[in-house]
Amino acid sequence: MPTLKYYGHSAFRIQDEKHTVFIDPYLTGNPVCPSKVEEIRACHYILVTHGHADHLGDTEFLAKKHDATVIATWELAMWLKKRGIKVHPLGAGGGYDFPFGRVKATLAFHGCGADPREDGSVPPPNTPVGYVVQWGKTKTLYHAGDTALYGDMKLLAEDYDLDVACLPIGDNFTMGVADANKAAEWLKAKTYVPMHYNTFEIIKADPLNFAFHVEKHGAKCKVMSPGEKITF
Ligand code: NI
Ligand code: MN
């Protein structure tokens, strides 16, 4: 059974005995993350939803140190490749079978630019996405990325039995609690994990408001503390 570890914001790790996969590994500079990126012991793949600093995060460091492959949309993937990183480009709507399972890039409605980084480099404009990960073809996780609510999220419930759905609830840049609750009604996942909130003042949200509504509709909500791990 895979475990899901939360690093705060939208950063997660999925791991089993064989494979370690990070999603949006924003550890360094993440004010709620209890871990140091230097302490990460394994990393085979990294899924990046888009090029904003709070998602691209430590991708380059982790990929170089662990010889990991980065999965991202074309423009971002090609930019990382030029920087000496192994990449696998995916387009929105496209899926591919990886050693740990199948990944499909899903739509996300959000910004596509990126700010200069500490070394002066600037990621190119890139298509933001979310990901559905069919881990070992037995467990399915949806990470929505940064996105507004949109009606076609409903289609995911037709195609997948989602075990876990990680949804942004912080408002301002993404869905807030009310829209995330609507998404949760559509997605029909077994368990919901709120993300992208309380990292900064501007995305302050009460995860219990989200949990209350989710549980009223018969699903589970797991409010994960940064550093916490669950089995799914
Ligand atoms: Ni963003
Ligand atoms: Mn973000």
Side-chain angles (χ1 to χ4, degrees):
M1 292 239 277
T3 59
L4 180 70
K5 182 168 177 174
Y6 186 46
Y7 292 88
H9 205 53
S10 295
F12 292 89
R13 182 192 72 188
I14 312 174
Q15 187 173 52
D16 65 13
E17 307 76 43
K18 272 196 187 153
H19 305 284
T20 301
V21 176
F22 279 83
I23 307 176
D24 286 352
Y26 170 48
L27 280 63
T28 306
N30 176 346
V32 297
C33 178
S35 314
K36 292 218 180 324
V37 70
E38 294 81 10
E39 295 161 4
I40 301 296
R41 300 228 302 265
C43 175
H44 302 118
Y45 283 86
I46 304 167
L47 299 170
V48 182
T49 61
H50 62 294
H52 288 156
D54 56 322
H55 298 262
L56 189 58
D58 293 303
T59 294
E60 191 165 346
F61 176 88
L62 275 175
K64 284 183 173 161
K65 182 175 174 192
H66 298 278
D67 197 29
T69 300
V70 177
I71 299 166
T73 49
W74 179 261
E75 294 80 7
L76 193 55
M78 289 308 111
W79 181 77
L80 290 166
K81 190 179 172 184
K82 276 194 208 127
R83 297 176 68 82
I85 292 168
K86 283 200 295 192
V87 297
H88 182 109
L90 272 188
Y96 190 83
D97 291 310
F98 293 94
F100 60 88
R102 184 168 178 81
V103 176
K104 183 173 179 179
T106 61
L107 298 180
F109 288 85
H110 187 61
C112 64
D115 295 321
R117 305 189 311 159
E118 258 178 29
D119 65 2
S121 63
V122 188
N126 57 95
T127 310
V129 291
Y131 290 108
V132 172
V133 182
Q134 290 174 287
W135 190 266
K137 294 186 177 128
T138 57
K139 295 284 176 177
T140 305
L141 176 142
Y142 171 48
H143 184 292
D146 277 2
T147 186
L149 180 70
Y150 61 91
D152 281 5
M153 268 186 196
K154 287 175 189 167
L155 299 174
L156 293 178
E158 289 181 16
D159 296 339
Y160 301 102
D161 286 321
L162 299 174
D163 293 289
V164 178
C166 305
L167 300 179
I169 67 160
D171 216 343
N172 195 76
F173 299 115
T174 66
M175 296 190 278
V177 167
D179 282 352
N181 277 141
K182 201 168 274 185
E185 282 179 45
W186 294 340
L187 290 165
K188 299 187 178 14
K190 290 191 187 80
T191 301
Y192 292 91
V193 175
M195 65 176 183
H196 211 271
Y197 70 98
N198 290 358
T199 324
F200 312 105
E201 187 63 29
I202 197 169
I203 54 170
K204 229 175 159 191
D206 185 353
L208 296 182
N209 285 342
F210 176 68
F212 177 77
H213 190 91
V214 160
E215 288 177 357
K216 210 169 73 183
H217 286 263
K220 275 189 211 150
C221 184
K222 179 68 197 162
V223 177
M224 295 181 76
S225 306
E228 193 177 351
K229 211 157 64 171
I230 59 169
T231 308
F232 72 101

